[in-house]
Amino acid sequence: MAEVLVLVELNPDGQGVRKTTLEALTAARALGEPSAVVAGAPGSAAGAKDALAEYGAQKVYVAESPDIDGYLVAPKAEVLASLVERVSPAAVVIPSSPEGKEVAGRLAIRTRSGILTDAVGLDGDGTATQSIFGGAVVVKSRVRTGTPIVTLRPNSVSPEPAPAQAQTRSVDVALDDAARAATVLERVVEEKGSRPALTDASIVVSGGRGLGSGDNFSLVEALADSLGGAVGASRAATDAGWYPHQAQVGQTGVTVSPQLYVAVGISGAIQHRAGMQTSKTIVAINKDPEAPIFELADFGVVGDLFDVVPQLTDEVAKRKG
Ligand SMILES: Cc1cc2nc3c(=O)[nH]c(=O)nc-3n(C[C@H](O)[C@H](O)[C@H](O)COP(=O)(O)OP(=O)(O)OC[C@H]3O[C@@H](n4cnc5c(N)ncnc54)[C@H](O)[C@@H]3O)c2cc1C
């Protein structure tokens, strides 16, 4: 069976891999035998191998060098380009993060290959599904030139374990001057709170303009904490400065696809829906029965969030004992 290269996204703390990597490994299995590619500073692969083996990597190509970590994204594209030449994979699958998309673009140029970004699914014949115009249109496409390069949108595929051997192969890569054009001077790992990361969380509680102020986001945080979830926000809330922009869910924010999405005081504009409509169960709390979010919701509460949310938080806490 042909190999499919999967670029690994490591956790910033060096412990294990991001969930996006497990999703990419799962999607890659439709096309062939996944081979994970770890490109990073010396020691990067050590904490990743177990997870890669559990999610189906038959091989793990390891390119470790201070140079790879020290020069933005170009070295990662070089590592992948040299592997594409060497192993002629059926495809290269890369998580669709900002960095992943830049690596993919460079790789496509280097290998003269076609690229599809933000795929939400992959079929065995290489057809990628993309969801565009805020989810209003579904596109099916296939690369016809070179090695198909596909970036996979986070949370569009559920990671499924498929234990494999994960045999390690070292990769030496000689970087040219172009790959050393931009140097990383410092990396700052954002302090992690006790809540799960928004894109990885299986429960997300988001607040919108209905909250009326940034202070009232404490209601959303309390509900999220009682459920063990992450906090998101609509663009109206982040633009108002009520919550950080990193928490914005939607077309111009992050895409989430949790098991449970609770929308509090959010109308459900198409641009917001684009970032959460694939959530498994959607609960909406809104005082306007005509709010478009109810068209999408599995469960809706028509009511004032200032009455409903504290009661819901108390009830969850009670049930948890
Ligand atoms: C190019 C572009 C990109 C965009 N990208 C995004 C994006 O990524 N994410 C995003 O979210 N938006 C995005 N938007 C903005 C989007 O169009 C909406 O303006 C925005 O989502 C509205 O946010 P909201 O639902 O919080 O506010 P509103 O639409 O004002 O809705 C507030 C809701 O709160 C309810 N409410 C008010 N008070 C209460 C109460 N006491 N109890 C219960 N309910 C109450 C109201 O009934 C209303 O339904 C984008 C827009 C454009 C043009």
Side-chain angles (χ1 to χ4, degrees), residues 41-232:
S44 303
K49 210 182 148 196
D50 288 352
L52 300 176
E54 191 184 344
Y55 284 84
Q58 293 292 353
K59 289 184 201 144
V60 181
Y61 292 108
V62 178
E64 291 180 337
S65 150
D67 278 358
I68 292 174
D69 208 34
Y71 296 102
L72 290 182
V73 299
K76 292 184 179 168
E78 292 295 307
V79 169
L80 285 172
S82 84
L83 282 168
V84 166
E85 201 173 308
R86 238 196 296 165
V87 306
S88 303
V92 182
V93 181
I94 298 176
S96 218
S97 59
E99 176 174 306
K101 280 192 264 196
E102 195 177 337
V103 171
R106 285 172 179 269
L107 179 64
I109 299 283
R110 282 280 279 106
T111 59
R112 295 173 183 269
S113 297
I115 175 173
L116 294 167
T117 56
D118 281 330
V120 294
L122 270 176
D123 294 343
D125 65 355
T127 302
T129 305
Q130 291 157 305
S131 169
I132 63 164
F133 296 139
V137 176
V138 170
V139 181
K140 301 261 184 192
S141 321
R142 203 160 60 191
V143 168
R144 297 174 59 188
T145 303
T147 303
I149 297 164
V150 182
T151 74
L152 187 72
R153 191 186 268 186
N155 287 314
S156 43
V157 170
S158 299
E160 281 166 24
Q165 296 191 331
Q167 288 175 348
T168 305
R169 306 269 156 91
S170 291
V171 182
D172 288 326
V173 178
L175 299 181
D176 61 17
D177 286 348
R180 296 170 198 265
T183 311
V184 176
L185 297 177
E186 191 186 4
R187 281 178 203 278
V188 181
V189 178
E190 207 180 333
E191 235 171 82
K192 213 177 151 210
S194 51
R195 293 189 190 106
L198 186 55
T199 48
D200 295 351
S202 54
I203 297 177
V204 173
V205 184
S206 289
R209 199 181 341 240
L211 283 158
S213 76
D215 287 346
N216 290 337
F217 255 85
S218 58
L219 290 173
V220 174
E221 290 181 332
L223 178 56
D225 290 343
S226 73
L227 291 164
V231 174

Side-chain angles (χ1 to χ4, degrees), residues 208-210 234-236 248-253 265-269 271-272 285-288 291 303-306:
R209 199 181 341 240
S234 71
R235 180 157 158 183
Q248 184 187 312
V249 172
Q251 186 183 325
T252 44
I266 291 177
S267 60
Q271 296 91 350
H272 186 79
I285 301 166
N286 198 305
K287 67 179 184 186
D288 175 7
D304 189 326
L305 69 90
F306 296 101

